């Protein structure tokens, strides 16, 4: 969390808790929270992933959790798809931060920004509702749903997004997922190939307003 907050430029609500509270949603983080295990899957370490999934599933059952809110759409895909496949189904609904926020009637209000496509159809649809004044950057998301993108593959994917944004003369990119915002900021920072500065906004950087009829 400290790394994420620092890398995102001091967006202290980048973990989603403050954004949820502002929208009237009560949530908490489990003590000693663990990763969903997506990097283990990407590395082919399925036995270790299965053990981690079983541990997380047991801890969530013991806590009485009824709904898991994932900050990242890829994490939500892993929890809802790969956990049952590994024999560790969650006795809880799995959703994303942007879906919950959009459902409350909250709306992000960036100025002159384009939206990074979400890695899953559900996340992207929710992001479109949450960011009604933005248009998606052509070319799709950084990675496939529920998959971990790192190393040279991540560098190429980020470069592709930034090139397409530069061609559209985009000044700001809004990423509904904190992890994607982190990748864009770190790999697209000053000193890269970019012909001009392109800013990146994550969930914690945006002003919100409530739409009429919001809960």
């Amino acid at each position: 969390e400290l790394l994420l907050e620092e890398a995102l430029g001091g967006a202290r609500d980048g973990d989603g808790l403050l954004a949820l509270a502002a929208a009237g949603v009560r949530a908490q983080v489990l003590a000693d929270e663990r990763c969903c295990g997506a990097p283990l899957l990407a590395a082919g370490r399925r036995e270790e992933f299965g053990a981690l999934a079983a541990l997380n599933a047991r801890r969530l059952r013991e806590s009485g959790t009824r709904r898991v809110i994932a900050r990242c759409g890829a994490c939500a895909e892993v929890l809802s798809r790969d956990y049952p496949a590994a024999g560790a189904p969650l006795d809880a609904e799995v959703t994303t931060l942007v879906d919950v926020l959009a459902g409350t009637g909250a709306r992000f209000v960036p100025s002159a920004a384009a939206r990074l496509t979400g890695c899953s159809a559900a996340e992207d649809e929710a992001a479109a509702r949450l960011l009604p004044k933005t248009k998606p950057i052509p070319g799709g998301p950084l990675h496939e749903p529920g998959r971990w993108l790192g190393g040279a593959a991540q560098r190429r994917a980020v470069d592709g997004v930034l090139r397409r944004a530069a061609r559209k003369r985009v000044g700001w990119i809004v990423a509904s997922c904190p992890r994607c915002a982190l990748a864009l900021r770190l790999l697209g920072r000053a000193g890269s190939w970019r012909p001009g500065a392109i800013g990146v906004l994550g969930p914690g950087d945006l002003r919100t307003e409530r739409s009429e009829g919001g809960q």
Side-chain angles (χ1 to χ4, degrees):
E1 291 303 323
L2 293 175
L3 173 63
L4 180 63
E5 288 180 357
E6 179 181 359
L8 289 181
R12 302 195 65 80
D13 50 344
D15 63 358
L17 287 180
L18 293 181
L20 289 169
V25 178
R26 296 180 60 186
Q28 64 179 347
V29 177
L30 285 179
D32 190 27
E33 182 183 359
R34 305 294 179 90
C35 171
C36 71
L40 292 174
L41 273 181
R45 296 160 63 178
R46 293 189 172 275
E47 184 174 338
E48 293 171 73
F49 170 77
L52 177 60
L55 172 64
N56 282 338
R58 184 177 72 251
R59 293 177 72 243
L60 287 169
R61 284 194 299 270
E62 292 172 348
S63 71
T65 298
R66 292 175 295 179
R67 180 167 67 166
V68 178
I69 303 173
R71 292 170 290 183
C72 169
C75 295
E77 289 283 329
V78 169
L79 291 168
S80 59
R81 179 190 62 196
D82 296 307
Y83 271 43
L90 300 181
D91 296 331
E93 173 192 359
V94 177
T95 186
T96 62
L97 174 63
V98 290
D99 189 45
V100 173
L101 290 174
T104 68
R107 296 293 180 264
F108 284 163
V109 194
S111 59
R115 174 170 53 85
L116 177 68
T117 302
C119 69
S120 71
E123 181 190 23
D124 193 55
E125 188 275 331
R129 286 186 288 133
L130 196 62
L131 298 156
K133 298 183 180 181
T134 62
K135 293 183 179 180
I137 298 171
L142 279 179
H143 54 80
E144 296 179 3
R147 292 295 175 253
W148 180 265
L149 186 64
Q154 181 169 251
R155 174 79 258 186
R156 289 193 298 270
V158 168
D159 279 352
V161 168
L162 294 173
R163 286 193 184 95
R164 294 192 294 273
R167 284 198 294 267
K168 292 290 184 179
R169 300 180 183 274
V170 169
W172 291 90
I173 297 174
V174 183
S176 58
C177 166
R179 192 175 76 182
C180 291
L182 174 64
L184 286 170
R185 275 197 175 161
L186 291 180
L187 297 180
R189 60 188 182 272
S192 72
W193 64 267
R194 293 180 302 166
I198 299 177
V200 179
L201 299 173
D205 301 303
L206 300 170
R207 180 170 57 87
T208 62
E209 66 180 14
R210 303 295 290 278
S211 64
E212 294 184 5
Q215 300 176 2

